[in-house]
Amino acid sequence: MQLTLALIQFRVAPSDPEDNLQRMEAHIRKAAAAGAQLVVFPEDAVAGPLSGQIAFLASAPGFLARFQALALQYGVDLVPGSWAVSDGVAAYNTAYYINSDGSVAGSYRKINLWDTERPHITPGSVVSVFPTAHGMVGLLICWDLAFPPLFTAMVAQGAELVISPSFWSFTKPAEDVDEVIDDEILLIDSLCTARAFENNIIFAYCNAAGELVSEGFDAVLSGRSQITHPHDKVVCKAEGNEEEMLLATVRLDRA
């Protein structure tokens, strides 16, 4: 089965959901006009990372409803990144897959948290694989990419396409920044290629764009959004960390 998907390497405005939501809709409109059937955004795309994850907990149901309406309006499946969602006891970094009719096909709570998340976010405990109009899809988030057992578990449940919204960044040192960038690029590219090849899946990695300067934190987003394939290796890739859309058509049939 063929699927045309768009990865939006998106520049996230910290703690400014309305600005992010308006710009995300513009990207969805553009992707749909270009023929995309599935549109993917990065982790934290709505509210930004760190305090933005917590400050808008009460707004989380409204975020989901808004994206359900956009999926229906533009006739595309949608993975609108992730945001913090509370179950009344704990907050989880949560990603959703929304069908083109506005229904929710599946959701996922991030299992492997990064250091900055741990004081505020509770880790999830189960992998997420679910049927869609385009085949069996699995979700994970950012740092989960570094843990092969998650992929093994998803493949055991029939995953053909795995999608990873990400906010992968590195702090910007005064010296040796070029060396750090090279190391980050090597790590991301190697992991994305390996996960597709070793698991015989299509892997869609969608990272954020630009820099994050917030709360005394100065970091560079690594970019490198890409779609990898077990045979073709790299279907498409963002060579830098600027905001852009990647568009590609893949077959989800298992090789």
Side-chain angles (χ1 to χ4, degrees), residues 52-233:
Q53 282 278 338
I54 302 303
F56 299 96
L57 273 173
S59 303
F63 296 157
L64 177 58
R66 190 156 173 179
F67 285 118
Q68 288 177 279
L70 289 173
L72 180 60
Q73 177 181 349
Y74 292 103
V76 295
D77 288 11
L78 189 57
V79 178
S82 72
W83 55 86
V85 177
S86 174
D87 64 358
V89 177
Y92 300 89
N93 187 348
T94 307
Y96 295 92
Y97 187 110
I98 303 169
N99 295 316
S100 60
D101 64 2
S103 62
V104 175
S107 63
Y108 168 71
R109 293 171 170 177
K110 186 177 182 180
I111 293 174
N112 297 287
L113 304 179
W114 190 244
D115 292 348
T116 54
E117 293 180 291
R118 292 172 187 162
H120 311 289
I121 301 294
T122 298
S125 58
V126 294
V127 298
S128 179
V129 178
F130 42 85
T132 74
H134 309 292
M136 295 295 289
V137 174
L139 286 175
L140 51 75
I141 300 174
C142 199
W143 187 229
D144 287 325
L145 171 60
F147 296 85
L150 289 186
F151 287 82
T152 302
M154 286 188 287
V155 170
Q157 294 183 28
E160 300 166 282
L161 167 67
V162 174
I163 301 169
S164 176
S166 299
F167 198 95
W168 193 300
S169 65
F170 58 92
T171 53
K172 187 166 57 177
E175 300 176 352
D176 300 325
V177 66
D178 290 338
E179 182 177 338
V180 174
I181 292 173
D182 289 344
D183 288 345
E184 290 291 318
I185 288 173
L186 175 61
L187 178 58
I188 291 170
D189 288 353
S190 298
L191 289 174
C192 289
T193 303
R195 295 297 174 260
F197 181 78
E198 68 194 2
N199 294 288
N200 196 27
I201 56 169
I202 306 297
F203 181 58
Y205 171 84
C206 186
N207 200 13
E211 296 190 18
L212 173 68
V213 181
S214 178
E215 303 168 11
F217 191 70
D218 189 356
V220 177
L221 277 301
S222 305
R224 306 299 284 187
S225 297
Q226 56 192 280
I227 300 170
T228 51
H229 185 280
H231 289 166
D232 301 331
K233 303 306 182 284

